[in-house]
């Protein structure tokens, strides 16, 4: 179809084209480039908008010319400087060019806004008060949508639970760090996973984005110019004084890392709980190699389950791409995720975003709400698929049981195996975890770190498989492909010489040349094996069930490949080291080695649980 023909049929016709294609499980047949602007606009900078407590927040207004006296409004709130951060300015220019009034705002205590900055502590009420201000303006129709990625998406979730009647639609992207106790995750801004601190991410983010003061030229947003060796700094202890020793400006870093996942400290921030109620139609966008893809899918379900009206319940949609944090829209016809080309992952995001707001804020009958509720990309198949539920109904949770031969499962030279049949004989594979020499991170679900060695995505792992602190379990060569879509878990029966230690798991795709590539990774701090709101120590002779979530994905293991599971006790510096003492970890400078055992077979059926799709 020519560009002239596309312009002639307009956005209504484009959405009908999309519907025709997705009915067959294909990518919507919409233009993959940005729709062209149709309005010029003027920008008024730093209008000071009062909050309920008198604090004023600096707000930029993008007002189109020739779009009418009153316009629907799109709101974006950012801690990253509304005037320079591309994640706010570029979308603002796009939507203003389409005839929307756009409001961008520095959150409380950041850049031109007044007040003391505390990460997301007042973003629910500040967002609500800003919407209140918007609907009273002479250029506003009184209908507001919200948009933005990462922090800009998380504040959308926080304000949505306040259910302002003028908040009509939202598009939160890579935003599931807003999950608190909901689902038992206690993610808390992405600070914790499995009870372990996401060390490289949190230390990196506070160094370039999370400070309360902006005087230091060494920590400008996006500069990444640290006056120290980031990787070496992460190795030093204790964790809670890292920011001070690095010379960071004032921030909430120490509070974040020194309060465990379910501590009352986190209740001061309005992170999502299972008791929250919602009423805003939303398109949730995330990617398989973001930090929290599993939580995005949980929130998508939660906002349906806890909706207060049919409008909120029936109009929740989710798009899961194969990319990294906030990179969905940047996919190309050869999308690189780490060192892996995952194919043509492009998707008509901007056409869909525009049609979404056109429907809800302008009342246009473009049938955008007839799109499938779920779009997800299958890595390996390199294709988009659709569903109306997640987990997809045809998914079959399939256990692959751990076992080992005479050599045991230590290193890839061992004979650890994965199979669908249980083994009767009880065995155990033992390794020593030394916090002085932790198993290194490589790729995976990570974001926002200042360490150039810590990059998200898929990378070859083969050279790490000779370490003695690694257990390796592998299937035979696959005669036919295996496709998974859902959350992957490692259910392990373990014992340890320490009262507390960590267990890490990594899902690996072994190609026909014997090279290992990471698919998913996860961790569980053993003290939290019964829930993050309680601490339960291990006893020396005890055997304990530990469930490690490797997070969610959609992935195809091709014929001729093998499925592999790694088990160890560290993944550093992606996660902080467990020092094995039973102490706080964050304020300790000494450690002990832990002798850890994974039991399998018989009454200890350790297994990898894969969400397998039928052929």
């Amino acid at each position: 179809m020519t560009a002239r023909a596309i312009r002639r049929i307009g956005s209504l016709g484009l959405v009908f084209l999309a519907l025709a294609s997705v009915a067959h499980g294909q990518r919507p047949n919409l233009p993959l480039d940005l729709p062209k602007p149709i309005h010029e606009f003027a920008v008024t900078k730093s209008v000071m908008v009062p909050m309920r407590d008198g604090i004023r927040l600096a707000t930029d207004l993008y007002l189109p010319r020739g779009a009418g006296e009153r316009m629907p409004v799109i709101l974006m709130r950012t801690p990253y400087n509304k005037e320079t951060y591309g994640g706010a300015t570029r979308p603002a220019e796009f939507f203003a060019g389409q005839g929307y009034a756009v409001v961008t705002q520095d959150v409380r205590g950041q850049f031109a806004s007044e007040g003391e900055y505390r990460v997301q502590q007042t973003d629910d009420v500040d967002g609500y008060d800003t919407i209140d201000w918007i609907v009273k303006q002479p250029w506003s129709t009184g209908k507001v949508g919200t948009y933005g990625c990462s922090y800009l998406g998380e504040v959308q979730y926080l304000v949505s639970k306040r259910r302002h009647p003028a908040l009509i639609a939202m598009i939160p992207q890579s935003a599931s760090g807003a999950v608190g106790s909901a689902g038992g995750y206690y993610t808390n801004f992405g600070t914790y996973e499995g009870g372990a601190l996401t060390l490289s991410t949190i230390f990196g983010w506070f160094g370039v984005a999370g400070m309360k003061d902006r005087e230091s030229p060494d920590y400008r947003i996006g500069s990444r110019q640290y006056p120290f060796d980031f990787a070496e700094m992460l190795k030093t202890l204790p964790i809670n004084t890292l920011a001070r020793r690095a010379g960071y400006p004032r921030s909430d870093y120490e509070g974040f890392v020194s309060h465990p996942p379910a501590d009352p400290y986190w209740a001061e921030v309005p992170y999502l709980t299972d008791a929250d109620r919602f009423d805003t139609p939303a398109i949730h966008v995330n990617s398989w190699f973001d930090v929290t893809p599993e939580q995005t899918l949980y929130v998508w379900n939660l906002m349906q389950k806890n909706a207060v009206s049919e409008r909120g319940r029936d109009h929740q949609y989710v798009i899961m791409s194969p990319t990294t944090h906030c990179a969905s829209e940047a996919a190309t016809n050869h999308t690189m995720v780490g060192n892996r080309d995952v194919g043509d992952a492009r998707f008509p995001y901007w056409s869909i975003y525009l049609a979404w707001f056109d429907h809800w804020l302008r009342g246009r009958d473009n049938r955008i709400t007839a799109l499938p509720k779920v779009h997800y990309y299958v890595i390996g198949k390199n294709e988009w698929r659709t569903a109306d539920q997640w987990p997809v109904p045809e998914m079959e949770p399939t256990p692959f049981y751990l076992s080992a031969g005479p050599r045991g499962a230590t290193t890839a030279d061992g004979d650890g195996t994965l199979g669908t049949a249980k083994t009767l004989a009880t065995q155990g594979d033992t390794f020593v975890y030394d916090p002085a020499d932790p198993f290194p991170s490589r790729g995976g679900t990570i974001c926002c770190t200042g360490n150039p060695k810590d990059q998200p995505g898929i990378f070859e792992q083969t050279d790490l498989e000779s370490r003695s602190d690694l257990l390796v379990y592998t299937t035979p060569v696959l005669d036919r492909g295996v496709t998974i879509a859902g959350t992957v878990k490692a259910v392990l029966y373990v014992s340890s010489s320490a009262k507390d230690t960590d267990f890490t798991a990594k899902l690996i795709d072994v190609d026909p040349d014997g090279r290992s590539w990471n698919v998913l990774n996860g961790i569980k701090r053993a003290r939290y094996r019964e829930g993050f709101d309680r601490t339960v120590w291990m006893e020396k002779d005890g055997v304990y069930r530990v469930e490690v979530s490797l997070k969610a994905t959609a992935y195809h293991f091709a014929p001729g490949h093998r499925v592999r599971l790694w088990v160890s006790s560290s993944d550093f510096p992606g996660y902080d080291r467990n020092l094995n003492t039973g102490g706080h970890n964050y304020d300790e400078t000494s450690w002990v080695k832990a002798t850890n055992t994974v039991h399998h077979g018989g009454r200890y059926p350790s297994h990898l649980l894969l969400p397998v799709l039928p052929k």
Side-chain angles (χ1 to χ4, degrees):
M1 182 175 293
T2 66
R4 179 178 298 177
I6 289 173
R7 287 194 296 270
R8 186 183 302 123
I9 65 174
S11 63
L12 177 62
L14 289 175
V15 173
F16 277 116
L17 284 175
L19 294 171
S21 63
V22 296
H24 296 88
Q26 302 167 359
R27 175 172 55 207
N29 187 23
L30 294 173
L32 296 174
D33 57 344
L34 222 59
K36 303 300 182 186
I38 56 178
H39 291 277
E40 295 181 346
F41 55 87
V43 182
T44 302
K45 294 186 176 181
S46 290
V47 176
M48 302 305 290
V49 175
M51 301 292 103
R52 64 186 65 183
D53 61 356
I55 293 294
R56 301 180 305 161
L57 304 188
T59 305
D60 288 355
L61 311 178
Y62 293 69
L63 299 181
R65 299 186 179 99
E69 291 186 6
R70 292 180 178 270
M71 296 158 285
V73 182
I74 295 174
L75 169 65
M76 288 178 281
R77 306 185 64 252
T78 178
Y80 302 136
N81 194 342
K82 60 182 172 51
E83 296 190 19
T84 60
Y85 178 58
T89 58
R90 287 192 294 268
E93 292 167 356
F94 168 73
F95 288 118
Q98 301 299 322
Y100 285 91
V102 181
V103 174
T104 62
Q105 185 178 78
D106 290 331
V107 300
R108 179 180 294 244
Q110 291 291 61
F111 296 95
S113 286
E114 298 174 350
E116 174 79 0
Y117 180 58
R118 164 79 193 274
V119 177
Q120 296 180 338
Q121 187 175 42
T122 61
D123 279 316
D124 58 338
V125 294
D126 287 349
Y128 191 99
D129 292 352
T130 300
I131 295 172
D132 250 1
W133 178 85
I134 288 171
V135 300
K136 298 171 184 174
Q137 302 311 302
W139 37 262
S140 167
T141 63
K143 292 186 175 182
V144 180
T146 57
Y147 178 88
C149 195
S150 193
Y151 200 115
L152 286 73
E154 290 159 0
V155 297
Q156 293 180 66
Y157 282 139
L158 303 186
V159 74
S160 71
K161 59 193 279 186
R162 289 278 174 172
R163 304 198 306 276
H164 195 294
L167 178 55
I168 306 300
M170 53 193 278
I171 304 177
Q173 304 149 296
S174 298
S176 42
V179 172
S181 63
Y185 287 109
Y186 293 92
T187 305
N188 304 332
F189 196 63
T191 306
Y192 289 101
E193 182 186 324
L197 178 72
T198 56
L199 178 62
S200 188
T201 290
I202 290 300
F203 181 62
W205 186 85
F206 275 104
V208 297
M211 68 284 293
K212 298 177 183 291
D213 305 311
R214 295 289 171 182
E215 291 99 6
S216 173
D218 294 322
Y219 299 94
R220 290 187 296 269
I221 295 293
S223 68
R224 308 294 194 194
Q225 298 300 311
Y226 295 91
F228 54 84
D229 186 307
F230 190 99
E232 290 301 313
M233 181 63 74
L234 287 174
K235 297 176 183 178
T236 64
L237 295 171
I239 289 172
N240 63 340
T241 64
L242 268 177
R244 276 186 278 160
R245 288 184 280 114
Y248 281 8
R250 288 191 312 128
S251 75
D252 293 325
Y253 169 84
E254 190 162 338
F256 269 51
V257 304
S258 61
H259 290 91
D263 190 276
Y265 172 88
W266 300 105
E268 299 175 11
V269 187
Y271 293 131
L272 299 186
T273 74
D274 284 324
D276 292 327
R277 296 293 181 262
F278 308 93
D279 196 32
T280 309
I283 297 177
H284 311 254
V285 181
N286 209 343
S287 44
W288 296 133
F289 284 94
D290 191 25
V291 179
T292 52
E294 182 180 358
Q295 286 88 329
T296 290
L297 292 157
Y298 185 85
V299 174
W300 172 75
N301 276 311
L302 182 68
M303 289 185 70
Q304 297 172 74
K305 176 184 175 183
N306 287 5
V308 299
S309 73
E310 290 184 4
R311 182 189 70 162
R313 184 191 67 225
D314 296 342
H315 297 106
Q316 301 296 323
Y317 302 80
V318 65
I319 304 170
M320 299 298 298
S321 80
T323 66
T324 57
H325 185 70
C326 287
S328 295
E329 295 85 357
T332 69
N333 58 344
H334 289 284
T335 305
M336 295 301 298
V337 180
N339 283 344
R340 172 86 173 268
D341 184 342
V342 299
D344 186 356
R346 293 175 297 169
F347 196 83
Y349 292 100
W350 291 104
S351 296
I352 288 176
Y353 298 163
L354 183 58
W356 179 254
F357 285 134
D358 281 351
H359 174 78
W360 290 107
L361 304 184
R362 286 178 165 146
R364 293 183 179 173
D365 184 16
N366 53 22
R367 298 199 65 203
I368 188 67
T369 58
L371 288 171
K373 296 297 177 66
V374 182
H375 282 87
Y376 65 100
Y377 193 85
V378 182
I379 301 172
K381 284 287 188 180
N382 295 352
E383 64 185 23
W384 286 97
R385 293 186 181 181
T386 63
D388 282 321
Q389 299 177 43
W390 190 276
V392 295
E394 63 270 25
M395 184 271 286
E396 299 176 358
T398 305
F400 286 74
Y401 295 97
L402 281 58
S403 63
R407 297 197 305 274
T410 306
T411 80
D413 292 330
D415 48 15
T417 62
L418 287 174
T420 55
K422 289 185 177 180
T423 56
L424 298 178
T426 299
Q427 298 173 280
D429 294 307
T430 299
F431 62 95
V432 175
Y433 159 51
D434 183 359
D437 183 25
F439 199 93
S441 304
R442 183 178 295 169
T445 51
I446 192 171
C447 89
C448 318
T449 172
N451 186 1
K453 297 179 181 179
D454 293 336
Q455 297 300 320
I458 302 173
F459 296 89
E460 188 178 352
Q461 312 280 319
T462 314
D463 61 300
L464 299 177
E465 294 186 319
S466 61
R467 288 183 57 111
S468 61
D469 55 352
L470 177 68
L471 304 181
V472 179
Y473 303 92
T474 313
T475 67
V477 173
L478 300 175
D479 293 329
R480 58 182 183 177
V482 174
T483 302
I484 60 175
T487 297
V488 174
K489 298 179 180 180
V491 179
L492 307 175
Y493 292 85
V494 302
S495 57
S496 177
S497 63
K499 63 189 300 187
D500 183 51
T501 192
D502 290 347
F503 288 93
T504 62
K506 186 175 285 190
L507 182 64
I508 298 289
D509 184 351
V510 184
D511 69 23
D513 295 325
R515 297 174 300 179
S516 291
W517 303 86
N518 60 297
V519 177
L520 289 173
N521 58 279
I523 191 169
K524 177 60 68 71
R525 187 143 291 172
R527 69 175 72 181
Y528 298 125
R529 64 189 179 276
E530 296 183 13
F532 298 122
D533 57 349
R534 68 204 70 178
T535 297
V536 184
W537 305 118
M538 295 187 293
E539 297 181 3
K540 190 170 184 180
D541 297 326
V543 179
Y544 304 96
R545 185 182 187 275
V546 172
E547 185 174 295
V548 183
S549 173
L550 281 71
K551 298 177 282 292
T553 193
Y555 190 93
H556 178 71
F557 294 88
H561 289 229
R562 290 175 287 163
V563 180
R564 176 168 287 175
L565 175 67
W566 285 6
V567 178
S568 189
S569 284
S570 53
D571 188 345
F572 178 82
Y575 307 104
D576 69 321
R577 291 167 287 180
N578 195 323
L579 302 181
N580 301 325
T581 66
H584 292 140
N585 281 299
Y586 62 78
D587 60 359
E588 296 181 275
T589 57
S590 58
W591 58 85
V592 297
K593 295 180 181 180
T595 301
N596 295 335
T597 300
V598 174
H599 305 272
H600 46 77
R603 58 184 176 146
Y604 301 127
S606 292
H607 58 277
L608 172 68
L609 191 63
L610 292 181
V612 176
L613 296 184
K615 181 175 173 59

